[in-house]
Coordinates of all heavy atoms in Angstrom, one line a residue:
A359 N 12.5 9.3 19.1 CA 12.9 8.0 18.6 C 12.5 6.9 19.6 O 12.3 5.7 19.2 CB 14.4 7.9 18.3
D360 N 12.2 7.2 20.9 CA 11.8 6.2 21.8 C 10.4 5.6 21.5 O 10.0 4.6 22.1 CB 12.0 6.7 23.3 CG 11.1 7.9 23.5 OD1 10.9 8.7 22.6 OD2 10.6 8.1 24.7
V361 N 9.7 6.3 20.6 CA 8.4 5.8 20.2 C 8.4 4.7 19.1 O 7.5 4.0 18.9 CB 7.4 7.0 19.8 CG1 6.0 6.5 19.5 CG2 7.3 8.0 21.0
L362 N 9.6 4.6 18.5 CA 9.7 3.6 17.4 C 9.3 2.2 17.7 O 8.5 1.6 17.0 CB 11.1 3.6 16.8 CG 11.4 4.9 15.9 CD1 12.9 4.9 15.6 CD2 10.6 4.9 14.6
P363 N 9.7 1.7 18.9 CA 9.2 0.3 19.3 C 7.7 0.2 19.4 O 7.1 -0.9 19.0 CB 9.9 0.0 20.6 CG 11.1 1.0 20.7 CD 10.6 2.2 19.9
K364 N 7.0 1.3 19.8 CA 5.6 1.2 19.9 C 4.9 1.2 18.5 O 3.9 0.6 18.3 CB 5.1 2.5 20.7 CG 3.6 2.4 21.0 CD 3.2 3.3 22.2 CE 3.4 4.7 21.9 NZ 3.1 5.6 23.0
I365 N 5.5 1.9 17.5 CA 5.0 1.8 16.1 C 5.2 0.4 15.6 O 4.3 -0.1 15.0 CB 5.8 2.9 15.2 CG1 5.6 4.3 15.8 CG2 5.3 2.7 13.8 CD1 6.5 5.3 15.1
R366 N 6.3 -0.2 15.9 CA 6.6 -1.6 15.5 C 5.5 -2.5 16.1 O 5.0 -3.4 15.4 CB 8.0 -2.0 15.9 CG 8.5 -3.2 15.3 CD 9.9 -3.5 15.8 NE 10.7 -2.3 15.6 CZ 11.8 -1.9 16.4 NH1 12.2 -2.8 17.4 NH2 12.4 -0.8 16.2
E367 N 5.3 -2.3 17.4 CA 4.3 -3.1 18.1 C 2.9 -3.0 17.5 O 2.2 -3.9 17.3 CB 4.3 -2.7 19.6 CG 3.5 -3.5 20.5 CD 3.6 -2.9 22.0 OE1 4.1 -1.9 22.2 OE2 3.0 -3.6 22.8
A368 N 2.5 -1.7 17.2 CA 1.2 -1.5 16.6 C 1.1 -2.1 15.3 O 0.1 -2.8 15.0 CB 1.0 0.1 16.5
R369 N 2.1 -2.0 14.5 CA 2.1 -2.6 13.1 C 1.9 -4.1 13.2 O 1.1 -4.7 12.5 CB 3.4 -2.3 12.4 CG 3.6 -2.9 11.0 CD 2.8 -2.2 10.0 NE 1.4 -2.6 9.9 CZ 0.4 -1.8 9.4 NH1 0.7 -0.7 8.8 NH2 -0.8 -2.3 9.4
A370 N 2.7 -4.7 14.1 CA 2.6 -6.2 14.3 C 1.2 -6.6 14.8 O 0.7 -7.6 14.3 CB 3.7 -6.6 15.3
Y371 N 0.7 -5.9 15.7 CA -0.6 -6.2 16.2 C -1.7 -6.1 15.2 O -2.6 -7.0 15.0 CB -1.0 -5.3 17.4 CG -2.3 -5.7 18.1 CD1 -2.3 -6.6 19.2 CD2 -3.5 -5.1 17.7 CE1 -3.5 -6.9 19.8 CE2 -4.7 -5.5 18.3 CZ -4.6 -6.4 19.3 OH -5.8 -6.8 19.9
L372 N -1.7 -5.0 14.4 CA -2.8 -4.8 13.4 C -2.7 -5.9 12.3 O -3.7 -6.4 11.9 CB -2.6 -3.4 12.8 CG -2.9 -2.2 13.7 CD1 -2.6 -0.9 12.9 CD2 -4.3 -2.2 14.2
D373 N -1.5 -6.2 12.0 CA -1.3 -7.3 10.9 C -1.7 -8.6 11.5 O -2.5 -9.4 10.8 CB 0.2 -7.4 10.5 CG 0.6 -6.2 9.7 OD1 -0.3 -5.4 9.3 OD2 1.8 -6.0 9.4
R374 N -1.3 -8.9 12.7 CA -1.7 -10.2 13.3 C -3.2 -10.4 13.5 O -3.7 -11.4 13.2 CB -1.0 -10.4 14.6 CG -1.0 -11.8 15.2 CD -0.1 -11.9 16.4 NE -0.5 -11.1 17.5 CZ 0.2 -10.1 18.1 NH1 1.4 -9.8 17.6 NH2 -0.2 -9.4 19.1
E375 N -3.8 -9.3 13.9 CA -5.3 -9.4 14.1 C -6.1 -9.1 12.8 O -7.3 -9.1 12.9 CB -5.7 -8.4 15.2 CG -5.0 -8.6 16.6 CD -5.4 -10.0 17.2 OE1 -6.6 -10.4 17.1 OE2 -4.5 -10.7 17.7
R376 N -5.4 -8.8 11.8 CA -6.0 -8.5 10.5 C -7.0 -7.4 10.6 O -8.2 -7.5 10.1 CB -6.6 -9.7 9.9 CG -5.7 -10.8 9.5 CD -6.4 -12.1 9.0 NE -5.6 -13.2 9.1 CZ -4.7 -13.6 8.1 NH1 -4.6 -12.9 7.0 NH2 -4.0 -14.7 8.2
L377 N -6.6 -6.3 11.3 CA -7.6 -5.2 11.5 C -7.3 -4.2 10.4 O -6.2 -3.8 10.2 CB -7.3 -4.6 12.9 CG -7.8 -5.4 14.1 CD1 -7.2 -4.9 15.4 CD2 -9.3 -5.6 14.1
P378 N -8.4 -3.7 9.8 CA -8.3 -2.7 8.7 C -8.2 -1.3 9.2 O -9.0 -0.5 9.0 CB -9.6 -2.9 7.9 CG -10.6 -3.4 8.9 CD -9.8 -4.1 10.0
V379 N -7.1 -1.1 10.0 CA -6.9 0.2 10.6 C -5.6 0.8 10.1 O -4.5 0.2 10.1 CB -6.7 0.0 12.2 CG1 -6.4 1.3 12.9 CG2 -8.0 -0.6 12.8
A380 N -5.7 2.1 9.6 CA -4.5 2.8 9.1 C -3.6 3.2 10.3 O -4.2 3.8 11.2 CB -4.9 3.9 8.2
L381 N -2.3 3.0 10.1 CA -1.4 3.4 11.2 C -0.8 4.8 10.8 O 0.0 4.9 9.8 CB -0.3 2.3 11.4 CG 0.7 2.6 12.4 CD1 0.2 2.8 13.8 CD2 1.7 1.4 12.5
Q382 N -1.1 5.8 11.7 CA -0.7 7.1 11.4 C 0.3 7.6 12.4 O 0.2 7.2 13.6 CB -1.9 8.0 11.5 CG -1.8 9.4 11.0 CD -3.2 10.1 11.1 OE1 -4.0 9.9 11.9 NE2 -3.4 11.0 10.1
V383 N 1.3 8.4 12.0 CA 2.3 9.0 13.0 C 2.3 10.5 12.8 O 2.1 11.0 11.7 CB 3.7 8.4 12.8 CG1 3.8 6.9 13.2 CG2 4.2 8.7 11.5
D384 N 2.5 11.2 13.9 CA 2.4 12.6 14.0 C 3.4 13.2 14.9 O 3.4 12.9 16.1 CB 1.0 13.0 14.4 CG 0.7 14.5 14.4 OD1 1.5 15.3 14.0 OD2 -0.4 14.8 14.9
G385 N 4.3 14.1 14.4 CA 5.2 14.8 15.3 C 6.7 14.6 14.9 O 7.2 13.5 14.9
G386 N 7.3 15.7 14.4 CA 8.7 15.7 14.1 C 9.0 14.9 12.8 O 10.1 14.4 12.7
I387 N 8.1 14.8 11.9 CA 8.3 14.0 10.7 C 9.0 14.9 9.6 O 8.3 15.8 9.1 CB 7.0 13.3 10.2 CG1 6.4 12.4 11.2 CG2 7.3 12.6 8.8 CD1 7.3 11.2 11.5
K388 N 10.2 14.6 9.4 CA 11.0 15.3 8.3 C 11.5 14.1 7.4 O 11.1 13.0 7.6 CB 12.1 16.1 8.9 CG 11.7 17.0 10.1 CD 11.7 18.5 9.6 CE 10.7 19.3 10.4 NZ 11.2 20.0 11.6
L389 N 12.5 14.5 6.6 CA 13.1 13.5 5.7 C 13.6 12.2 6.4 O 13.2 11.1 6.1 CB 14.2 14.0 4.9 CG 13.8 14.8 3.6 CD1 15.1 15.2 2.8 CD2 12.9 14.0 2.8
D390 N 14.5 12.4 7.4 CA 15.1 11.3 8.0 C 14.1 10.5 8.9 O 14.1 9.2 8.8 CB 16.3 11.8 8.9 CG 15.9 12.9 9.8 OD1 14.8 13.5 9.6 OD2 16.6 13.2 10.8
T391 N 13.2 11.2 9.6 CA 12.3 10.5 10.5 C 11.2 9.8 9.7 O 10.6 8.8 10.1 CB 11.8 11.4 11.6 OG1 11.3 12.6 10.9 CG2 12.9 11.8 12.5
A392 N 10.9 10.4 8.5 CA 9.8 9.8 7.6 C 10.3 8.4 7.3 O 9.5 7.4 7.3 CB 9.6 10.6 6.4
A393 N 11.6 8.3 7.0 CA 12.2 6.9 6.6 C 12.1 6.0 7.8 O 11.7 4.8 7.6 CB 13.6 7.1 6.1
L394 N 12.4 6.5 9.0 CA 12.4 5.6 10.2 C 11.0 5.1 10.4 O 10.8 3.9 10.7 CB 12.8 6.4 11.4 CG 14.3 6.9 11.5 CD1 14.5 7.7 12.8 CD2 15.2 5.7 11.5
V395 N 10.0 5.9 10.4 CA 8.6 5.4 10.7 C 8.0 4.6 9.6 O 7.3 3.6 9.8 CB 7.6 6.5 11.1 CG1 8.1 7.3 12.3 CG2 7.4 7.6 10.0
A396 N 8.4 4.9 8.3 CA 7.9 4.1 7.2 C 8.5 2.7 7.3 O 7.9 1.7 7.0 CB 8.3 4.7 5.9
K397 N 9.8 2.6 7.8 CA 10.4 1.3 7.9 C 9.7 0.5 9.0 O 9.7 -0.8 8.9 CB 11.9 1.6 8.4 CG 12.8 0.5 8.0 CD 14.3 1.0 8.1 CE 15.2 -0.2 8.3 NZ 16.1 0.0 9.5
E398 N 9.1 1.1 10.0 CA 8.4 0.4 11.0 C 6.9 0.1 10.6 O 6.2 -0.5 11.4 CB 8.4 1.2 12.3 CG 9.7 1.5 12.9 CD 10.5 0.2 13.2 OE1 10.0 -0.9 13.2 OE2 11.7 0.3 13.5
G399 N 6.5 0.5 9.4 CA 5.2 0.1 8.9 C 4.1 1.2 9.0 O 2.9 0.8 8.9
A400 N 4.5 2.4 9.2 CA 3.4 3.5 9.2 C 2.8 3.6 7.9 O 3.5 3.5 6.8 CB 4.1 4.8 9.7
D401 N 1.5 3.9 7.9 CA 0.7 4.1 6.6 C 0.5 5.5 6.2 O 0.5 5.9 5.0 CB -0.7 3.4 6.7 CG -0.6 2.0 7.0 OD1 0.1 1.2 6.3 OD2 -1.3 1.5 8.0
I402 N 0.4 6.4 7.2 CA 0.1 7.8 7.0 C 1.0 8.6 7.8 O 1.2 8.4 9.0 CB -1.4 8.2 7.4 CG1 -2.4 7.3 6.7 CG2 -1.6 9.6 7.1 CD1 -3.8 7.4 7.2
L403 N 1.7 9.5 7.2 CA 2.7 10.4 7.8 C 2.2 11.8 7.9 O 1.9 12.4 6.9 CB 4.0 10.4 7.1 CG 5.0 9.3 7.4 CD1 4.4 7.9 7.3 CD2 6.2 9.4 6.5
V404 N 2.0 12.3 9.1 CA 1.6 13.7 9.3 C 2.9 14.5 9.3 O 3.8 14.1 10.0 CB 0.8 13.9 10.6 CG1 0.5 15.4 10.9 CG2 -0.5 13.1 10.6
S405 N 2.9 15.7 8.7 CA 4.1 16.6 8.8 C 3.7 18.0 8.7 O 3.0 18.4 7.7 CB 5.1 16.2 7.7 OG 6.2 17.1 7.8
G406 N 4.1 18.8 9.7 CA 3.7 20.2 9.7 C 4.9 21.0 9.2 O 5.0 21.4 8.1
S407 N 5.9 21.2 10.2 CA 7.1 22.1 9.8 C 8.0 21.4 8.8 O 8.9 22.0 8.2 CB 7.8 22.4 11.1 OG 8.2 21.3 11.8
G408 N 7.8 20.1 8.5 CA 8.5 19.4 7.5 C 8.0 19.8 6.1 O 8.7 19.5 5.1
I409 N 6.8 20.4 6.0 CA 6.2 20.7 4.7 C 5.9 22.2 4.5 O 6.2 22.8 3.5 CB 4.9 19.9 4.5 CG1 5.3 18.4 4.3 CG2 4.1 20.4 3.3 CD1 4.2 17.4 4.1
F410 N 5.3 22.8 5.6 CA 5.0 24.3 5.5 C 6.1 25.1 6.2 O 6.8 24.6 7.0 CB 3.7 24.5 6.2 CG 2.5 24.0 5.6 CD1 1.8 22.9 6.1 CD2 2.0 24.5 4.4 CE1 0.6 22.4 5.5 CE2 0.9 24.0 3.7 CZ 0.2 23.0 4.3
P411 N 6.2 26.4 5.8 CA 5.4 27.2 4.9 C 5.9 27.3 3.5 O 5.2 27.7 2.6 CB 5.3 28.5 5.6 CG 6.6 28.7 6.3 CD 7.0 27.3 6.7
D412 N 7.3 27.1 3.3 CA 7.9 27.3 2.0 C 8.2 26.0 1.3 O 8.4 25.0 2.0 CB 9.2 28.2 2.2 CG 8.9 29.5 2.9 OD1 7.9 30.2 2.5 OD2 9.6 29.8 3.9
R413 N 8.4 26.1 0.0 CA 8.8 24.9 -0.8 C 7.9 23.7 -0.5 O 8.4 22.6 -0.3 CB 10.3 24.6 -0.6 CG 11.2 25.6 -1.1 CD 12.7 25.2 -0.9 NE 13.1 25.1 0.4 CZ 13.4 26.1 1.2 NH1 13.5 27.3 0.8 NH2 13.7 25.9 2.5
V414 N 6.6 23.9 -0.4 CA 5.7 22.9 0.0 C 5.7 21.7 -0.9 O 5.8 20.5 -0.5 CB 4.2 23.5 0.0 CG1 3.2 22.4 0.2 CG2 4.1 24.5 1.1
R415 N 5.8 22.0 -2.2 CA 5.8 20.9 -3.2 C 7.0 20.0 -3.1 O 7.0 18.8 -3.0 CB 5.7 21.4 -4.6 CG 5.8 20.4 -5.8 CD 5.7 21.0 -7.1 NE 4.3 21.5 -7.3 CZ 3.3 20.7 -7.8 NH1 3.6 19.4 -8.1 NH2 2.1 21.1 -7.9
E416 N 8.2 20.7 -3.0 CA 9.4 20.0 -2.9 C 9.5 19.2 -1.6 O 9.9 18.0 -1.6 CB 10.6 21.0 -3.0 CG 11.9 20.4 -3.0 CD 13.0 21.5 -2.8 OE1 12.8 22.6 -3.1 OE2 14.1 21.1 -2.4
N417 N 9.1 19.8 -0.5 CA 9.2 19.1 0.8 C 8.3 17.9 0.8 O 8.7 16.8 1.3 CB 8.7 20.1 1.9 CG 9.7 21.2 2.2 OD1 10.9 21.1 1.8 ND2 9.2 22.3 2.7
L418 N 7.1 18.0 0.3 CA 6.1 16.9 0.3 C 6.7 15.8 -0.6 O 6.7 14.6 -0.2 CB 4.8 17.4 -0.2 CG 3.6 16.4 0.2 CD1 2.3 17.2 0.2 CD2 3.4 15.3 -0.8
R419 N 7.2 16.1 -1.7 CA 7.7 15.1 -2.6 C 8.9 14.4 -2.0 O 9.0 13.1 -2.0 CB 8.2 15.7 -4.0 CG 8.8 14.8 -5.0 CD 9.2 15.4 -6.3 NE 10.1 16.5 -6.1 CZ 11.4 16.4 -5.8 NH1 12.0 15.2 -5.8 NH2 12.2 17.5 -5.7
R420 N 9.8 15.1 -1.4 CA 11.0 14.5 -0.8 C 10.6 13.6 0.4 O 11.2 12.5 0.6 CB 12.0 15.5 -0.4 CG 12.5 16.2 -1.6 CD 13.5 17.3 -1.3 NE 14.8 16.7 -0.7 CZ 15.7 17.4 -0.1 NH1 15.5 18.7 0.2 NH2 16.8 16.8 0.4
I421 N 9.7 14.0 1.2 CA 9.2 13.2 2.3 C 8.6 11.9 1.8 O 8.8 10.8 2.3 CB 8.3 14.0 3.3 CG1 9.1 15.0 4.1 CG2 7.5 13.0 4.2 CD1 8.3 15.8 5.0
R422 N 7.7 12.1 0.8 CA 7.1 10.9 0.2 C 8.1 9.9 -0.3 O 8.0 8.7 -0.1 CB 6.1 11.3 -0.9 CG 5.2 10.2 -1.3 CD 4.4 10.5 -2.6 NE 3.5 11.6 -2.5 CZ 2.3 11.5 -1.9 NH1 1.9 10.4 -1.3 NH2 1.5 12.6 -1.9
E423 N 9.1 10.4 -1.1 CA 10.1 9.6 -1.6 C 10.9 8.8 -0.6 O 11.2 7.6 -0.7 CB 11.1 10.4 -2.5 CG 10.4 10.7 -3.9 CD 11.3 11.7 -4.7 OE1 12.4 12.0 -4.3 OE2 10.8 12.1 -5.8
A424 N 11.3 9.6 0.5 CA 12.1 8.9 1.5 C 11.3 7.8 2.2 O 11.8 6.7 2.5 CB 12.5 10.0 2.6
A425 N 10.0 8.1 2.4 CA 9.1 7.1 3.1 C 8.9 5.9 2.2 O 9.0 4.8 2.7 CB 7.8 7.8 3.4
Q426 N 8.6 6.2 0.9 CA 8.4 5.0 0.0 C 9.6 4.1 -0.1 O 9.5 2.9 -0.1 CB 8.0 5.5 -1.4 CG 6.6 6.1 -1.5 CD 5.5 5.1 -1.3 OE1 4.4 5.5 -0.9 NE2 5.8 3.8 -1.4
A427 N 10.8 4.8 -0.2 CA 12.0 4.0 -0.3 C 12.2 3.1 0.9 O 12.6 1.9 0.8 CB 13.2 4.9 -0.5
A428 N 12.0 3.7 2.1 CA 12.2 2.9 3.3 C 11.1 1.8 3.5 O 11.5 0.7 3.9 CB 12.1 3.9 4.5
A429 N 9.9 2.1 3.0 CA 8.9 1.1 3.1 C 9.2 -0.1 2.2 O 8.9 -1.2 2.5 CB 7.5 1.7 2.8
A430 N 9.7 0.3 1.0 CA 10.1 -0.8 0.1 C 11.1 -1.7 0.6 O 11.2 -2.9 0.2 CB 10.5 -0.2 -1.3
G431 N 12.0 -1.2 1.5 CA 13.1 -2.0 2.1 C 12.6 -2.8 3.3 O 13.4 -3.5 3.9
R432 N 11.3 -2.7 3.7 CA 10.9 -3.5 4.8 C 10.9 -5.0 4.5 O 10.7 -5.4 3.3 CB 9.4 -3.2 5.2 CG 9.3 -1.8 5.9 CD 7.8 -1.7 6.3 NE 7.5 -2.4 7.5 CZ 6.4 -3.1 7.7 NH1 5.4 -3.1 6.8 NH2 6.2 -3.7 8.9
I433 N 11.1 -5.8 5.5 CA 11.1 -7.3 5.4 C 12.4 -7.8 4.7 O 13.1 -7.1 4.1 CB 9.9 -7.9 4.8 CG1 8.6 -7.4 5.4 CG2 9.9 -9.5 5.0 CD1 7.3 -7.6 4.6

Side-chain angles (χ1 to χ4, degrees):
D360 59 329
V361 181
L362 285 169
K364 191 160 65 182
I365 300 170
R366 192 177 315 149
E367 187 181 4
R369 176 78 279 158
Y371 185 90
L372 295 174
D373 289 351
R374 191 170 64 241
E375 300 296 319
R376 297 175 197 276
L377 290 168
V379 175
L381 178 56
Q382 188 176 36
V383 294
D384 180 11
I387 300 295
K388 309 253 155 94
L389 276 188
D390 50 345
T391 51
L394 290 178
V395 297
K397 205 161 155 234
E398 300 299 351
D401 300 308
I402 304 171
L403 276 50
V404 174
S405 180
S407 54
I409 291 179
F410 290 113
D412 303 313
R413 293 184 296 278
V414 169
R415 174 177 293 275
E416 184 190 339
N417 291 337
L418 199 154
R419 177 179 56 78
R420 294 179 69 195
I421 286 179
R422 192 192 295 285
E423 283 172 5
Q426 287 295 158
R432 285 185 80 217
I433 308 162

